[in-house]
């Protein structure tokens, strides 16, 4: 089995670390790693390959930054060329970036099976580029690997169900568990930044809806500055945000400790020891919960709804600095209920097993597969030749 993994952005390197490790240990599996080059700074790319022991990409497409259409189009063309050469059995894509959509689309048009890790997440906000990417990717995928029951329900609402959907848990939880000890032993982030555990807050902001809207960005920066009156606020700045902060006279960063993006191990330690995490990142929201640190999400909605329901996360729509600041201060010390919504830390193993035609065995070990009979995904729309390949393939085995 050849699995071509398409990654390109920071969170995808982190997610791929878990599955890549399991695939490397799976007899008969060969992995082809394709890096689109969407993220390219050392602190946004190389550091994760080193720290998380990910092999060097087999293909680095070097696409870089551009408008959505130009970036996605260039990736589509370049990924297609690699897939034609490598002839993988699966293309594995993660999350909701332009790299995700380009990888899925290139594969689907070549009639190569697509597996989507983090399938089914929805914000129901089509103004987000990520929402467009995830909806289209899910509808082009042959195997939908959902992290949560909420994601399964979202897919079912769109008529995607049956044996090509599996609830596997969240690969980011796998990574957090696997690299937790390494972060503890190797990271010196707290010492380097002169921080004491539980006496600072951690902030990250990078969503286009926030960085590209001066009113929202000013509300966030003003709110974080208000929080900084109470305790230090450390803010590793994403390059998109850095460009905004340097190109526009926003002001409002007083009291914030703006630093360059950090590696994963440092980020884990900064999250774990924070009194509060304030973020618009999907991954950082969950990681705060993994360490049972209260989180304020600087958005109008979140895909990770279970965190809000459990009380670990609260939404803070960035309307004005005063309300953001007040909500952040109120969130200090908040706690939520205990639960395990992200699986058992073995999502990557389940994904590798599903990819490797072992779906029946995996089912016995506890992967929940939607009952056949729920609305099937649009497989029947496929060409007869392709349908027969799918029908004889791995997914059918999942029906048991
Ligand atoms: C992308 C994803 C977003 C994800 C985020 C993770 C899309 C549409 N968005 O957003 O879903 O949450 O990655 O971090 O795919 N830049 C650099 N150096 C880099 C990378 C980017 O300077 O290594 C700058 C460039 O000016 C670029 C801007 O950041 O134009 C935005 O980068 P891009 O990859 O287009 O989107 P992100 O905001 O990173
Ligand atoms: N992250 C990191 N260094 C940073 C900021 C984030 O290692 O300076 C990690 C973080 O721990 C998480 C992932 O990057 O694992 C989240 O990625 P990001 O916020 O860029 O994207 P999103 O999850 O919102 O798509």
């Amino acid at each position: 089995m050849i699995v071509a993994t398409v990654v390109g952005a920071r969170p995808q390197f982190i997610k791929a670390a878990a599955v890549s490790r399991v695939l490397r240990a799976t007899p008969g599996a060969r992995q082809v790693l394709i890096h689109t080059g969407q993220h390219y700074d050392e602190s946004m790319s190389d550091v994760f390959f080193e720290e998380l022991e990910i092999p060097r990409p087999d293909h680095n497409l070097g696409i870089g930054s551009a408008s959505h259409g130009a970036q996605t189009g260039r990736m589509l063309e370049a990924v297609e060329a690699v897939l034609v050469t490598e002839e993988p059995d699966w293309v594995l894509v993660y999350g909701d970036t332009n790299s995700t959509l380009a990888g899925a689309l290139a594969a689907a048009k070549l009639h190569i099976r697509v597996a989507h890790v983090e399938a089914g997440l929805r914000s129901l906000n089509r103004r987000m580029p990520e929402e467009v990417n995830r909806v289209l990717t899910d509808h082009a995928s042959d195997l939908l690997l959902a992290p949560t029951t909420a994601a399964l329900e979202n897919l079912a609402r769109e008529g995607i169900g049956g044996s090509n959907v599996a609830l596997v848990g969240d690969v980011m939880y796998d990574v957090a568990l696997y690299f937790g000890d390494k972060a503890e032993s190797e990271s010196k982030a707290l010492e380097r930044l002169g921080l004491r555990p539980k006496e600072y807050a951690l902030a990250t902001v990078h969503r286009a809806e926030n960085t590209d809207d001066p009113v929202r960005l000013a509300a966030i920066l003003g709110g974080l500055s208000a929080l900084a009156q109470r305790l230090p606020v450390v803010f590793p700045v994403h390059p998109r945000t850095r460009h905004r902060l340097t190109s526009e006279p926003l002001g409002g960063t007083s009291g914030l400790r703006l630093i360059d993006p950090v590696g994963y191990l440092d980020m884990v330690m900064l999250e774990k020891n924070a009194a509060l995490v304030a973020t618009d990142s999907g991954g950082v929201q969950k990681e705060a919960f993994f360490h049972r640190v209260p989180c304020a999400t600087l958005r109008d909605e979140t895909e990770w709804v279970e965190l809000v329901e459990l009380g670990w996360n609260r939404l803070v729509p960035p309307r004005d600095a005063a309300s953001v600041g007040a909500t952040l201060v109120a969130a200090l010390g908040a706690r939520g209920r205990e639960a395990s919504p992200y699986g058992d830390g073995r999502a990557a193993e389940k994904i590798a097993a599903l990819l490797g035609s072992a779906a029946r065995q995996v089912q016995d070990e506890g992967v929940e597969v939607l009952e056949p009979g729920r609305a099937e995904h649009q497989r029947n729309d496929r060409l007869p030749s392709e349908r027969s390949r799918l029908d004889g393939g791995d997914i059918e085995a999942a029906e048991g």
Side-chain angles (χ1 to χ4, degrees), residues 101-154:
L101 178 60
L105 199 49
K109 283 177 175 283
L110 290 170
H111 302 169
I112 299 168
R113 284 176 294 176
V114 179
H116 184 203
V117 178
E118 268 193 16
L121 294 185
R122 295 290 182 269
S123 66
L124 306 180
N125 175 0
R126 287 284 178 110
R127 292 186 60 80
M128 292 177 69
E130 292 87 356
E131 183 75 356
V132 176
N133 289 340
R134 28 175 117 93
V135 170
L136 296 177
T137 300
D138 281 341
H139 284 261
S141 292
D142 300 271
L143 178 57
L144 294 104
L145 300 155
T148 60
T149 51
L152 282 186
E153 288 160 11
N154 290 333

Coordinates of all heavy atoms in Angstrom, one line a residue, residues 101-154:
L101 N -7.4 21.0 0.3 CA -8.3 21.0 -0.9 C -7.5 20.6 -2.2 O -8.0 19.8 -2.9 CB -9.0 22.3 -1.0 CG -9.9 22.5 -2.3 CD1 -11.1 21.4 -2.2 CD2 -10.5 23.9 -2.4
A102 N -6.4 21.2 -2.3 CA -5.6 20.9 -3.6 C -5.3 19.4 -3.6 O -5.4 18.7 -4.7 CB -4.3 21.7 -3.6
G103 N -4.8 18.8 -2.5 CA -4.5 17.4 -2.5 C -5.7 16.5 -2.8 O -5.6 15.6 -3.6
A104 N -6.8 16.9 -2.2 CA -8.0 16.0 -2.4 C -8.5 16.1 -3.8 O -8.9 15.1 -4.4 CB -9.1 16.5 -1.4
L105 N -8.5 17.3 -4.3 CA -9.0 17.5 -5.7 C -8.1 16.8 -6.7 O -8.6 16.2 -7.6 CB -9.1 19.0 -5.9 CG -10.0 19.5 -7.1 CD1 -11.4 18.9 -7.0 CD2 -10.1 21.1 -7.0
A106 N -6.8 17.0 -6.5 CA -5.9 16.4 -7.5 C -6.1 14.9 -7.5 O -6.2 14.2 -8.6 CB -4.5 16.7 -7.1
A107 N -6.3 14.3 -6.3 CA -6.5 12.8 -6.2 C -7.8 12.4 -6.8 O -7.9 11.5 -7.6 CB -6.4 12.4 -4.8
A108 N -8.9 13.1 -6.4 CA -10.2 12.7 -6.9 C -10.3 12.7 -8.4 O -10.9 11.8 -9.0 CB -11.2 13.7 -6.3
K109 N -9.6 13.7 -9.0 CA -9.7 13.8 -10.5 C -8.9 12.7 -11.2 O -9.1 12.4 -12.3 CB -9.3 15.2 -11.0 CG -10.4 16.2 -10.7 CD -10.0 17.6 -11.1 CE -11.2 18.5 -11.0 NZ -12.1 18.4 -12.1
L110 N -7.9 12.1 -10.4 CA -7.1 11.0 -11.0 C -7.7 9.7 -10.5 O -7.1 8.6 -10.8 CB -5.7 11.1 -10.5 CG -4.8 12.2 -11.0 CD1 -3.5 12.4 -10.3 CD2 -4.6 12.0 -12.5
H111 N -8.9 9.7 -9.9 CA -9.5 8.5 -9.4 C -8.7 7.7 -8.4 O -8.6 6.5 -8.4 CB -10.0 7.6 -10.5 CG -10.9 8.3 -11.5 ND1 -11.2 7.7 -12.7 CD2 -11.5 9.4 -11.5 CE1 -12.0 8.5 -13.4 NE2 -12.2 9.6 -12.6
I112 N -7.9 8.5 -7.6 CA -7.2 7.9 -6.5 C -8.0 8.2 -5.2 O -8.5 9.3 -5.0 CB -5.8 8.6 -6.4 CG1 -5.0 8.3 -7.7 CG2 -5.0 8.0 -5.2 CD1 -3.7 9.2 -7.7
R113 N -8.0 7.2 -4.4 CA -8.9 7.3 -3.2 C -8.3 8.4 -2.2 O -7.1 8.4 -2.0 CB -9.0 6.0 -2.5 CG -10.0 5.0 -3.2 CD -10.0 3.7 -2.6 NE -8.7 3.0 -2.7 CZ -8.5 1.8 -2.2 NH1 -9.3 1.2 -1.4 NH2 -7.3 1.3 -2.4
V114 N -9.2 9.2 -1.7 CA -8.9 10.2 -0.8 C -9.3 9.9 0.6 O -10.5 9.5 0.8 CB -9.5 11.6 -1.2 CG1 -9.2 12.7 -0.2 CG2 -9.2 11.9 -2.6
A115 N -8.4 10.0 1.6 CA -8.8 9.9 3.0 C -8.6 11.3 3.7 O -7.5 11.9 3.6 CB -8.0 8.8 3.7
H116 N -9.6 11.7 4.4 CA -9.6 13.0 5.0 C -9.6 12.9 6.6 O -10.6 12.5 7.1 CB -10.8 13.9 4.6 CG -10.8 15.3 5.1 ND1 -11.9 16.0 5.2 CD2 -9.7 16.1 5.5 CE1 -11.6 17.2 5.7 NE2 -10.3 17.3 5.9
V117 N -8.5 13.3 7.1 CA -8.3 13.4 8.6 C -8.9 14.7 9.1 O -8.5 15.8 8.6 CB -6.9 13.2 9.0 CG1 -6.7 13.3 10.5 CG2 -6.3 11.9 8.5
E118 N -9.8 14.6 10.1 CA -10.5 15.8 10.6 C -11.7 16.1 9.7 O -12.1 17.2 9.5 CB -9.7 17.1 10.7 CG -9.0 17.2 12.1 CD -8.4 18.6 12.3 OE1 -8.7 19.5 11.6 OE2 -7.7 18.7 13.3
A119 N -12.3 15.0 9.2 CA -13.5 15.2 8.4 C -14.7 15.7 9.3 O -14.7 15.3 10.4 CB -13.9 13.9 7.7
G120 N -15.6 16.4 8.7 CA -16.9 16.7 9.3 C -16.9 17.9 10.2 O -18.0 18.2 10.8
L121 N -15.8 18.6 10.4 CA -15.8 19.8 11.2 C -16.6 20.9 10.4 O -16.4 21.1 9.2 CB -14.4 20.3 11.6 CG -13.7 19.3 12.5 CD1 -12.4 19.9 12.8 CD2 -14.5 19.0 13.7
R122 N -17.3 21.7 11.1 CA -18.1 22.8 10.4 C -18.2 24.0 11.3 O -18.5 23.8 12.5 CB -19.5 22.3 10.0 CG -19.6 21.2 9.0 CD -19.2 21.6 7.6 NE -19.4 20.5 6.7 CZ -18.4 19.7 6.4 NH1 -17.2 19.8 6.9 NH2 -18.6 18.7 5.5
S123 N -18.0 25.1 10.8 CA -18.3 26.4 11.5 C -19.6 26.9 11.0 O -20.2 27.8 11.7 CB -17.2 27.4 11.2 OG -17.2 27.8 9.9
L124 N -20.1 26.5 9.9 CA -21.3 27.0 9.2 C -21.1 28.4 8.8 O -22.1 29.1 8.6 CB -22.5 26.8 10.1 CG -22.8 25.3 10.6 CD1 -24.0 25.2 11.5 CD2 -22.8 24.4 9.4
N125 N -19.9 28.9 8.7 CA -19.6 30.2 8.3 C -18.8 30.1 6.9 O -17.6 29.9 6.9 CB -18.8 30.9 9.3 CG -18.3 32.3 8.9 OD1 -18.6 32.8 7.8 ND2 -17.6 33.0 9.8
R126 N -19.5 30.3 5.8 CA -18.9 30.1 4.5 C -18.0 31.2 4.1 O -17.3 31.2 3.1 CB -20.0 29.9 3.4 CG -20.7 28.6 3.5 CD -19.8 27.5 2.9 NE -20.4 26.2 3.0 CZ -20.9 25.5 1.9 NH1 -20.8 26.0 0.7 NH2 -21.5 24.3 2.1
R127 N -17.9 32.3 5.0 CA -17.0 33.4 4.7 C -15.5 32.9 5.0 O -14.6 33.6 4.6 CB -17.3 34.6 5.4 CG -18.6 35.2 4.8 CD -18.9 36.6 5.5 NE -17.9 37.6 5.2 CZ -17.7 38.2 4.1 NH1 -18.5 38.1 3.1 NH2 -16.7 39.1 4.0
M128 N -15.4 31.9 5.8 CA -14.1 31.4 6.2 C -13.5 30.5 5.1 O -14.2 29.6 4.6 CB -14.2 30.5 7.4 CG -14.5 31.1 8.7 SD -14.6 29.9 10.0 CE -12.9 29.4 10.2
P129 N -12.3 30.8 4.6 CA -11.8 29.9 3.6 C -11.7 28.5 4.0 O -11.9 27.6 3.2 CB -10.4 30.5 3.3 CG -10.1 31.4 4.5 CD -11.4 31.9 5.0
E130 N -11.5 28.3 5.3 CA -11.4 26.9 5.8 C -12.7 26.2 5.7 O -12.6 25.0 5.4 CB -11.0 27.0 7.3 CG -9.6 27.5 7.6 CD -9.5 29.0 7.8 OE1 -10.5 29.7 7.5 OE2 -8.4 29.5 8.1
E131 N -13.8 26.8 5.8 CA -15.1 26.1 5.7 C -15.3 25.7 4.3 O -15.8 24.5 4.1 CB -16.2 27.1 6.2 CG -17.6 26.5 6.2 CD -17.8 25.5 7.4 OE1 -16.9 25.3 8.2 OE2 -19.0 25.1 7.5
V132 N -15.0 26.5 3.4 CA -15.1 26.1 1.9 C -14.2 24.9 1.7 O -14.6 23.9 1.1 CB -14.7 27.3 1.0 CG1 -14.7 26.8 -0.4 CG2 -15.6 28.4 1.2
N133 N -13.0 24.9 2.2 CA -12.0 23.8 2.0 C -12.5 22.5 2.6 O -12.4 21.5 2.0 CB -10.6 24.2 2.6 CG -9.9 25.3 1.8 OD1 -10.2 25.5 0.6 ND2 -9.0 25.9 2.4
R134 N -13.1 22.6 3.8 CA -13.4 21.4 4.4 C -14.7 20.8 3.8 O -14.8 19.5 3.6 CB -13.6 21.5 5.9 CG -14.0 22.7 6.6 CD -14.3 22.5 8.1 NE -13.3 23.2 8.9 CZ -13.6 24.5 9.3 NH1 -14.7 25.0 9.2 NH2 -12.7 25.1 10.0
V135 N -15.7 21.6 3.5 CA -16.9 21.0 2.8 C -16.5 20.4 1.5 O -16.9 19.2 1.2 CB -17.9 22.2 2.6 CG1 -19.1 21.7 1.8 CG2 -18.4 22.7 4.0
L136 N -15.7 21.0 0.7 CA -15.4 20.5 -0.6 C -14.5 19.2 -0.4 O -14.7 18.2 -1.2 CB -14.6 21.5 -1.5 CG -15.5 22.7 -1.8 CD1 -14.7 23.8 -2.6 CD2 -16.7 22.3 -2.7
T137 N -13.6 19.2 0.5 CA -12.7 18.1 0.7 C -13.5 16.9 1.2 O -13.4 15.8 0.7 CB -11.6 18.4 1.7 OG1 -10.8 19.5 1.2 CG2 -10.7 17.2 2.0
D138 N -14.5 17.1 2.1 CA -15.3 16.0 2.6 C -16.1 15.4 1.4 O -16.2 14.2 1.3 CB -16.2 16.5 3.7 CG -15.6 16.6 5.0 OD1 -14.5 16.0 5.2 OD2 -16.1 17.3 5.9
H139 N -16.6 16.2 0.6 CA -17.4 15.7 -0.5 C -16.6 15.1 -1.6 O -17.2 14.4 -2.5 CB -18.4 16.8 -1.0 CG -19.5 17.1 -0.1 ND1 -20.8 16.6 -0.3 CD2 -19.6 17.8 1.1 CE1 -21.6 16.9 0.7 NE2 -20.8 17.7 1.6
A140 N -15.3 15.3 -1.6 CA -14.4 14.6 -2.6 C -13.8 13.4 -2.0 O -13.0 12.7 -2.7 CB -13.4 15.6 -3.1
S141 N -14.1 13.1 -0.7 CA -13.3 12.0 0.0 C -14.0 10.6 -0.1 O -15.2 10.6 -0.1 CB -13.0 12.4 1.4 OG -12.2 13.5 1.5
D142 N -13.2 9.6 0.0 CA -13.7 8.2 0.0 C -13.7 7.7 1.4 O -14.4 6.7 1.7 CB -12.8 7.3 -0.9 CG -12.7 7.8 -2.3 OD1 -13.6 7.4 -3.1 OD2 -11.9 8.7 -2.6
L143 N -12.8 8.2 2.2 CA -12.8 7.7 3.6 C -12.7 9.0 4.5 O -11.8 9.8 4.4 CB -11.5 6.9 3.9 CG -11.3 6.4 5.3 CD1 -12.5 5.5 5.8 CD2 -10.0 5.5 5.3
L144 N -13.8 9.1 5.3 CA -13.9 10.3 6.1 C -13.6 10.0 7.6 O -14.4 9.2 8.2 CB -15.3 10.9 5.9 CG -15.5 11.4 4.5 CD1 -16.4 10.5 3.7 CD2 -16.1 12.8 4.5
L145 N -12.5 10.5 8.1 CA -12.0 10.2 9.4 C -12.4 11.3 10.4 O -11.7 12.3 10.4 CB -10.5 9.9 9.3 CG -10.2 8.8 8.3 CD1 -8.8 9.0 7.7 CD2 -10.3 7.4 8.9
A146 N -13.5 11.1 11.1 CA -14.0 12.1 11.9 C -13.4 12.1 13.3 O -13.2 11.0 13.9 CB -15.5 11.9 12.0
P147 N -13.0 13.3 13.9 CA -12.4 13.3 15.2 C -13.4 13.2 16.3 O -13.1 12.8 17.4 CB -11.7 14.6 15.2 CG -12.4 15.5 14.3 CD -13.0 14.6 13.2
T148 N -14.7 13.7 16.1 CA -15.7 13.8 17.2 C -17.0 13.3 16.7 O -17.3 13.3 15.5 CB -15.8 15.3 17.6 OG1 -16.2 16.0 16.5 CG2 -14.5 15.8 18.1
T149 N -17.9 13.1 17.7 CA -19.3 12.8 17.3 C -20.0 13.9 16.7 O -20.8 13.8 15.8 CB -20.1 12.3 18.6 OG1 -19.9 13.3 19.6 CG2 -19.6 11.0 19.1
A150 N -19.6 15.2 17.1 CA -20.2 16.3 16.4 C -19.9 16.3 14.9 O -20.7 16.7 14.1 CB -19.8 17.6 17.1
A151 N -18.7 15.9 14.6 CA -18.3 15.9 13.2 C -19.1 14.8 12.4 O -19.5 15.1 11.3 CB -16.8 15.6 13.1
L152 N -19.3 13.7 13.1 CA -20.1 12.6 12.4 C -21.5 13.2 12.1 O -22.1 12.9 11.1 CB -20.3 11.4 13.4 CG -19.1 10.4 13.5 CD1 -19.6 9.3 14.4 CD2 -18.7 9.9 12.2
E153 N -22.1 13.9 13.1 CA -23.4 14.4 12.9 C -23.5 15.5 11.8 O -24.4 15.5 11.0 CB -23.9 15.0 14.2 CG -24.2 14.0 15.3 CD -24.3 14.5 16.7 OE1 -24.2 15.7 16.9 OE2 -24.3 13.7 17.6
N154 N -22.4 16.3 11.7 CA -22.4 17.2 10.6 C -22.4 16.5 9.3 O -23.1 17.0 8.3 CB -21.1 18.1 10.7 CG -21.2 19.1 11.9 OD1 -22.2 19.5 12.3 ND2 -20.0 19.4 12.4

